[in-house]
Amino acid sequence: MNPKPTADYPVRKPKFQFSDSVPKHWCGGNASLTHVLNAWTILFPEGEKYFIRTVQKYVPRLKEGQVKRNAIAFVGQEAQHAGEHRKFWRNLKEQGYKFEGFMNFVVWFAFDLLERIFSERMNMAAVAGLEHYTSLVADLGLRSGLLKPAHPEMRRLFEWHAAEELEHKSAAFDVLKEVTESYWIRVTGMCIASGIFFTFTLVAVLIFLWQDGILFRFKTQKELFRLLFTKEKVLPLTIAAAFRYFRFSFHPDQEDNLHLAEEIFSQQEHQYREAI
Ligand SMILES: [Fe+2]
Ligand SMILES: [Fe+2]
Protein backbone atom coordinates (compact mmCIF):
# COMPACT_ATOMS: atom_id res chain seq x y z
CA MET A 1 0.00 0.00 0.00
CA ASN A 2 1.32 3.45 -0.92
CA PRO A 3 1.93 5.73 2.06
CA LYS A 4 -0.58 8.57 2.41
CA PRO A 5 0.72 11.53 0.40
CA THR A 6 1.73 14.49 2.52
CA ALA A 7 2.45 18.17 2.01
CA ASP A 8 5.98 19.21 1.08
CA TYR A 9 6.41 20.54 4.61
CA PRO A 10 5.14 19.89 8.13
CA VAL A 11 3.44 22.21 10.62
CA ARG A 12 5.98 22.65 13.40
CA LYS A 13 4.89 23.83 16.80
CA PRO A 14 7.73 25.53 18.65
CA LYS A 15 6.58 27.34 21.76
CA PHE A 16 8.09 30.70 22.62
CA GLN A 17 8.15 32.51 25.92
CA PHE A 18 9.48 36.02 25.83
CA SER A 19 10.98 36.99 29.13
CA ASP A 20 11.02 40.51 30.54
CA SER A 21 14.76 40.52 29.88
CA VAL A 22 14.21 41.15 26.17
CA PRO A 23 15.44 44.74 25.85
CA LYS A 24 13.64 47.49 23.94
CA HIS A 25 16.15 47.49 21.11
CA TRP A 26 16.59 43.75 21.09
CA CYS A 27 18.36 43.43 17.73
CA GLY A 28 21.92 44.29 18.69
CA GLY A 29 20.91 47.69 20.10
CA ASN A 30 19.92 48.83 16.60
CA ALA A 31 16.64 50.71 17.16
CA SER A 32 15.74 51.01 13.48
CA LEU A 33 16.26 47.34 12.67
CA THR A 34 14.50 46.28 15.87
CA HIS A 35 11.48 48.38 14.97
CA VAL A 36 11.28 47.02 11.42
CA LEU A 37 11.02 43.58 13.04
CA ASN A 38 8.61 44.89 15.70
CA ALA A 39 6.50 46.38 12.90
CA TRP A 40 6.14 42.92 11.39
CA THR A 41 5.46 41.42 14.81
CA ILE A 42 2.37 43.62 15.13
CA LEU A 43 1.34 43.29 11.47
CA PHE A 44 1.90 39.55 10.97
CA PRO A 45 -0.90 38.17 13.20
CA GLU A 46 -3.71 40.06 11.41
CA GLY A 47 -1.97 39.69 8.03
CA GLU A 48 -1.56 35.97 8.44
CA LYS A 49 -5.18 35.59 9.53
CA TYR A 50 -6.06 37.27 6.21
CA PHE A 51 -3.79 34.82 4.30
CA ILE A 52 -5.51 31.91 6.06
CA ARG A 53 -9.05 33.21 5.35
CA THR A 54 -8.23 33.78 1.71
CA VAL A 55 -6.57 30.42 1.05
CA GLN A 56 -9.15 28.49 3.08
CA LYS A 57 -11.93 29.76 0.80
CA TYR A 58 -10.24 27.95 -2.08
CA VAL A 59 -9.07 24.76 -0.37
CA PRO A 60 -12.36 22.84 -0.87
CA ARG A 61 -12.36 23.81 -4.55
CA LEU A 62 -8.76 22.79 -5.31
CA LYS A 63 -8.00 19.56 -7.16
CA GLU A 64 -6.77 16.70 -4.98
CA GLY A 65 -2.97 16.85 -5.16
CA GLN A 66 0.18 18.58 -4.00
CA VAL A 67 -1.13 22.15 -4.37
CA LYS A 68 -4.06 21.38 -2.09
CA ARG A 69 -1.93 19.48 0.45
CA ASN A 70 0.58 22.35 0.53
CA ALA A 71 -2.24 24.90 0.90
CA ILE A 72 -3.49 23.06 3.99
CA ALA A 73 0.03 22.92 5.46
CA PHE A 74 0.47 26.62 4.60
CA VAL A 75 -2.63 27.45 6.65
CA GLY A 76 -1.21 25.45 9.56
CA GLN A 77 2.19 27.16 9.40
CA GLU A 78 0.71 30.67 9.16
CA ALA A 79 -1.57 30.00 12.14
CA GLN A 80 1.50 29.07 14.20
CA HIS A 81 3.37 32.23 13.10
CA ALA A 82 0.43 34.49 13.98
CA GLY A 83 0.07 32.95 17.44
CA GLU A 84 3.76 33.07 18.35
CA HIS A 85 4.32 36.66 17.15
CA ARG A 86 1.25 37.80 19.04
CA LYS A 87 2.81 36.58 22.31
CA PHE A 88 5.44 39.30 21.99
CA TRP A 89 2.72 41.99 22.02
CA ARG A 90 2.67 41.68 25.83
CA ASN A 91 6.38 42.62 25.95
CA LEU A 92 5.87 45.53 23.56
CA LYS A 93 3.01 46.87 25.68
CA GLU A 94 5.03 46.47 28.88
CA GLN A 95 7.89 48.34 27.20
CA GLY A 96 5.41 51.23 26.85
CA TYR A 97 4.54 51.03 23.15
CA LYS A 98 1.01 51.88 22.05
CA PHE A 99 -0.12 50.44 18.74
CA GLU A 100 -3.79 49.49 19.21
CA GLY A 101 -5.03 52.58 17.33
CA PHE A 102 -2.72 51.84 14.40
CA MET A 103 -3.74 48.18 14.32
CA ASN A 104 -7.44 49.12 14.48
CA PHE A 105 -6.89 51.30 11.42
CA VAL A 106 -4.97 48.50 9.62
CA VAL A 107 -7.76 46.01 10.32
CA TRP A 108 -10.45 48.46 9.18
CA PHE A 109 -8.64 49.61 6.04
CA ALA A 110 -7.12 46.33 4.85
CA PHE A 111 -9.70 43.83 6.01
CA ASP A 112 -13.01 45.66 6.44
CA LEU A 113 -12.56 47.82 3.35
CA LEU A 114 -10.08 46.42 0.79
CA GLU A 115 -10.79 42.74 1.43
CA ARG A 116 -14.51 43.32 0.84
CA ILE A 117 -14.00 45.49 -2.23
CA PHE A 118 -11.73 43.04 -4.05
CA SER A 119 -12.92 39.80 -5.60
CA GLU A 120 -11.86 36.47 -4.10
CA ARG A 121 -9.37 36.05 -6.95
CA MET A 122 -7.87 39.51 -6.39
CA ASN A 123 -7.52 38.81 -2.68
CA MET A 124 -5.76 35.55 -3.59
CA ALA A 125 -3.43 37.49 -5.91
CA ALA A 126 -2.71 39.98 -3.11
CA VAL A 127 -1.88 37.12 -0.73
CA ALA A 128 0.46 35.57 -3.34
CA GLY A 129 2.14 38.97 -3.72
CA LEU A 130 2.47 39.45 0.06
CA GLU A 131 3.94 35.96 0.34
CA HIS A 132 6.56 37.00 -2.20
CA TYR A 133 7.52 39.83 0.17
CA THR A 134 7.61 37.61 3.26
CA SER A 135 9.88 35.11 1.47
CA LEU A 136 11.99 37.96 0.18
CA VAL A 137 12.61 39.50 3.62
CA ALA A 138 13.13 35.98 5.01
CA ASP A 139 15.84 35.39 2.41
CA LEU A 140 17.43 38.76 3.21
CA GLY A 141 17.31 38.17 6.95
CA LEU A 142 18.84 34.69 6.84
CA ARG A 143 21.41 35.42 4.13
CA SER A 144 22.71 38.68 5.59
CA GLY A 145 23.14 37.53 9.19
CA LEU A 146 21.02 40.50 10.33
CA LEU A 147 19.51 38.45 13.11
CA LYS A 148 22.81 37.27 14.60
CA PRO A 149 23.07 40.07 17.22
CA ALA A 150 19.41 39.66 18.25
CA HIS A 151 18.24 38.53 21.70
CA PRO A 152 18.28 34.68 21.50
CA GLU A 153 14.49 34.22 21.89
CA MET A 154 13.71 36.83 19.24
CA ARG A 155 16.38 35.46 16.94
CA ARG A 156 14.89 31.99 17.23
CA LEU A 157 11.36 33.32 16.57
CA PHE A 158 12.37 35.22 13.43
CA GLU A 159 14.69 32.49 12.13
CA TRP A 160 11.95 29.85 12.49
CA HIS A 161 9.40 32.12 10.81
CA ALA A 162 11.82 33.11 8.03
CA ALA A 163 12.73 29.47 7.34
CA GLU A 164 9.07 28.46 7.05
CA GLU A 165 8.35 31.43 4.77
CA LEU A 166 11.05 30.12 2.42
CA GLU A 167 9.74 26.60 2.75
CA HIS A 168 6.15 27.49 1.79
CA LYS A 169 7.02 30.35 -0.59
CA SER A 170 5.17 28.68 -3.50
CA ALA A 171 2.00 27.63 -1.67
CA ALA A 172 -0.14 30.74 -2.24
CA PHE A 173 1.30 31.28 -5.72
CA ASP A 174 0.37 27.73 -6.75
CA VAL A 175 -3.17 28.18 -5.42
CA LEU A 176 -3.47 31.38 -7.45
CA LYS A 177 -2.18 29.58 -10.56
CA GLU A 178 -4.83 26.92 -10.12
CA VAL A 179 -7.53 29.54 -9.59
CA THR A 180 -6.58 31.77 -12.52
CA GLU A 181 -3.90 31.88 -15.21
CA SER A 182 -4.45 35.63 -15.62
CA TYR A 183 -1.15 37.49 -15.58
CA TRP A 184 -2.96 40.78 -14.98
CA ILE A 185 -4.68 39.57 -11.84
CA ARG A 186 -1.32 38.34 -10.51
CA VAL A 187 0.37 41.67 -11.29
CA THR A 188 -2.49 43.79 -9.92
CA GLY A 189 -2.45 41.68 -6.74
CA MET A 190 1.29 42.34 -6.45
CA CYS A 191 0.72 46.10 -6.79
CA ILE A 192 -1.87 45.97 -4.00
CA ALA A 193 0.53 43.87 -1.89
CA SER A 194 3.37 46.35 -2.47
CA GLY A 195 1.27 49.31 -1.37
CA ILE A 196 0.11 47.54 1.78
CA PHE A 197 3.46 46.01 2.69
CA PHE A 198 5.62 49.13 2.32
CA THR A 199 3.11 51.62 3.74
CA PHE A 200 2.12 49.69 6.84
CA THR A 201 5.71 48.66 7.59
CA LEU A 202 6.97 52.24 7.25
CA VAL A 203 4.19 53.76 9.37
CA ALA A 204 4.66 51.17 12.14
CA VAL A 205 8.44 51.78 12.23
CA LEU A 206 7.88 55.54 12.45
CA ILE A 207 5.37 55.05 15.29
CA PHE A 208 7.84 52.95 17.31
CA LEU A 209 10.73 55.36 16.70
CA TRP A 210 8.49 58.33 17.55
CA GLN A 211 7.42 56.70 20.81
CA ASP A 212 11.09 56.13 21.66
CA GLY A 213 11.66 59.84 21.05
CA ILE A 214 14.49 59.08 18.61
CA LEU A 215 12.81 59.48 15.23
CA PHE A 216 14.79 62.60 14.31
CA ARG A 217 18.06 61.60 15.99
CA PHE A 218 21.07 61.45 13.63
CA LYS A 219 22.00 57.91 14.76
CA THR A 220 18.51 56.67 13.86
CA GLN A 221 18.67 58.24 10.40
CA LYS A 222 22.12 56.66 9.90
CA GLU A 223 20.83 53.22 10.97
CA LEU A 224 17.88 53.48 8.60
CA PHE A 225 20.01 54.68 5.72
CA ARG A 226 22.51 51.83 6.16
CA LEU A 227 19.75 49.26 6.45
CA LEU A 228 17.88 50.52 3.40
CA PHE A 229 20.64 51.67 1.06
CA THR A 230 24.28 51.00 1.90
CA LYS A 231 24.88 47.98 4.16
CA GLU A 232 22.03 45.51 3.91
CA LYS A 233 20.59 47.34 0.87
CA VAL A 234 17.08 46.23 1.78
CA LEU A 235 15.29 48.71 -0.49
CA PRO A 236 17.07 48.04 -3.82
CA LEU A 237 17.05 44.28 -3.15
CA THR A 238 13.35 44.39 -2.32
CA ILE A 239 12.49 46.42 -5.40
CA ALA A 240 14.59 44.10 -7.62
CA ALA A 241 12.79 41.07 -6.20
CA ALA A 242 9.41 42.73 -6.71
CA PHE A 243 10.26 43.25 -10.37
CA ARG A 244 11.29 39.59 -10.75
CA TYR A 245 7.69 38.76 -9.80
CA PHE A 246 6.52 40.68 -12.86
CA ARG A 247 8.29 38.28 -15.26
CA PHE A 248 5.66 36.39 -17.16
CA SER A 249 7.34 33.02 -16.43
CA PHE A 250 8.08 33.76 -12.74
CA HIS A 251 7.60 31.04 -10.14
CA PRO A 252 8.77 31.30 -6.47
CA ASP A 253 10.69 28.00 -6.81
CA GLN A 254 13.10 29.83 -9.14
CA GLU A 255 14.49 31.68 -6.09
CA ASP A 256 17.43 29.66 -4.79
CA ASN A 257 17.10 29.87 -1.00
CA LEU A 258 15.74 26.62 0.41
CA HIS A 259 19.20 25.76 1.76
CA LEU A 260 18.90 28.79 4.10
CA ALA A 261 15.72 27.29 5.56
CA GLU A 262 17.25 23.82 5.89
CA GLU A 263 20.18 25.22 7.90
CA ILE A 264 17.76 26.75 10.41
CA PHE A 265 15.64 23.59 10.67
CA SER A 266 18.71 21.45 11.34
CA GLN A 267 19.79 23.85 14.13
CA GLN A 268 16.31 24.08 15.72
CA GLU A 269 14.95 20.61 14.93
CA HIS A 270 14.95 19.32 18.51
CA GLN A 271 12.65 22.20 19.56
CA TYR A 272 9.74 21.33 17.27
CA ARG A 273 6.70 19.20 17.91
CA GLU A 274 5.10 18.48 14.57
CA ALA A 275 1.35 18.79 14.23
CA ILE A 276 0.98 16.84 10.96
FE1 LIG B 1 4.15 33.55 8.19
FE1 LIG C 1 3.91 32.83 4.60
Side-chain angles (χ1 to χ4, degrees), residues 5 102 135 226:
F102 169 68
S135 67
R226 283 171 59 139

Side-chain angles (χ1 to χ4, degrees), residues 48 51 74 78 81 131 134 161 165 168:
E48 287 167 324
F51 298 174
F74 166 87
E78 294 296 16
H81 302 165
E131 276 292 290
T134 54
H161 192 166
E165 289 304 319
H168 73 219

Side-chain angles (χ1 to χ4, degrees), residues 106-174:
V106 168
V107 169
W108 170 77
F109 181 75
F111 308 124
D112 281 349
L113 192 65
L114 293 186
E115 188 179 347
R116 285 166 199 252
I117 288 172
F118 296 132
S119 66
E120 281 187 3
R121 285 195 309 179
M122 193 54 80
N123 275 300
M124 194 58 238
V127 170
L130 285 164
E131 276 292 290
H132 183 59
Y133 280 119
T134 54
S135 67
L136 164 70
V137 295
D139 181 313
L140 267 172
L142 295 182
R143 205 180 288 275
S144 64
L146 268 177
L147 295 166
K148 285 203 173 113
H151 185 280
E153 274 298 301
M154 299 307 289
R155 179 177 170 182
R156 197 164 73 83
L157 170 74
F158 274 91
E159 285 185 341
W160 158 70
H161 192 166
E164 290 200 342
E165 289 304 319
L166 295 183
E167 191 177 44
H168 73 219
K169 65 187 173 186
S170 300
F173 190 90
D174 286 339

Side-chain angles (χ1 to χ4, degrees), residues 24-247:
K24 268 190 156 186
H25 300 153
W26 53 262
C27 201
N30 183 325
S32 302
L33 176 56
T34 301
H35 288 323
V36 170
L37 298 166
N38 282 341
W40 292 333
T41 280
I42 62 169
L43 290 166
F44 281 149
E46 287 300 332
E48 287 167 324
K49 272 159 65 185
Y50 165 60
F51 298 174
I52 292 169
R53 275 196 305 279
T54 307
V55 169
Q56 269 181 332
K57 280 181 195 154
Y58 281 109
V59 165
R61 292 179 253 166
L62 295 171
K63 289 186 288 224
E64 289 305 323
Q66 208 58 27
V67 171
K68 184 171 183 168
R69 287 193 287 274
N70 287 349
I72 294 166
F74 166 87
V75 165
Q77 288 196 343
E78 294 296 16
Q80 292 300 314
H81 302 165
E84 296 305 311
H85 274 277
R86 200 175 185 106
K87 286 183 188 171
F88 192 63
W89 287 25
R90 183 190 67 84
N91 294 61
L92 289 172
K93 286 175 184 168
E94 280 179 5
Q95 286 169 350
Y97 296 113
K98 292 184 174 53
F99 49 88
E100 291 87 347
F102 169 68
M103 282 311 301
N104 288 341
F105 174 78
V106 168
V107 169
W108 170 77
F109 181 75
F111 308 124
D112 281 349
L113 192 65
L114 293 186
E115 188 179 347
R116 285 166 199 252
I117 288 172
F118 296 132
S119 66
E120 281 187 3
R121 285 195 309 179
M122 193 54 80
N123 275 300
M124 194 58 238
V127 170
L130 285 164
E131 276 292 290
H132 183 59
Y133 280 119
T134 54
S135 67
L136 164 70
V137 295
D139 181 313
L140 267 172
L142 295 182
R143 205 180 288 275
S144 64
L146 268 177
L147 295 166
K148 285 203 173 113
H151 185 280
E153 274 298 301
M154 299 307 289
R155 179 177 170 182
R156 197 164 73 83
L157 170 74
F158 274 91
E159 285 185 341
W160 158 70
H161 192 166
E164 290 200 342
E165 289 304 319
L166 295 183
E167 191 177 44
H168 73 219
K169 65 187 173 186
S170 300
F173 190 90
D174 286 339
V175 172
L176 178 67
K177 286 289 256 187
E178 196 170 313
V179 167
T180 174
E181 285 289 334
S182 166
Y183 173 75
W184 296 109
I185 288 184
R186 166 156 72 92
V187 164
T188 309
M190 183 52 163
C191 294
I192 296 164
S194 303
I196 289 174
F197 180 80
F198 286 114
T199 308
F200 286 160
T201 300
L202 177 67
V203 172
V205 171
L206 296 180
I207 288 171
F208 283 125
L209 289 171
W210 173 263
Q211 291 184 11
D212 276 343
I214 56 170
L215 178 57
F216 299 109
R217 203 181 54 169
F218 178 68
K219 186 169 176 246
T220 307
Q221 308 298 325
K222 204 166 100 187
E223 283 170 356
L224 274 175
F225 193 79
R226 283 171 59 139
L227 179 67
L228 292 175
F229 299 108
T230 56
K231 191 159 178 253
E232 286 81 17
K233 302 187 179 78
V234 168
L235 200 61
L237 289 172
T238 308
I239 291 170
F243 275 101
R244 287 202 293 281
Y245 194 85
F246 291 135
R247 277 202 321 260

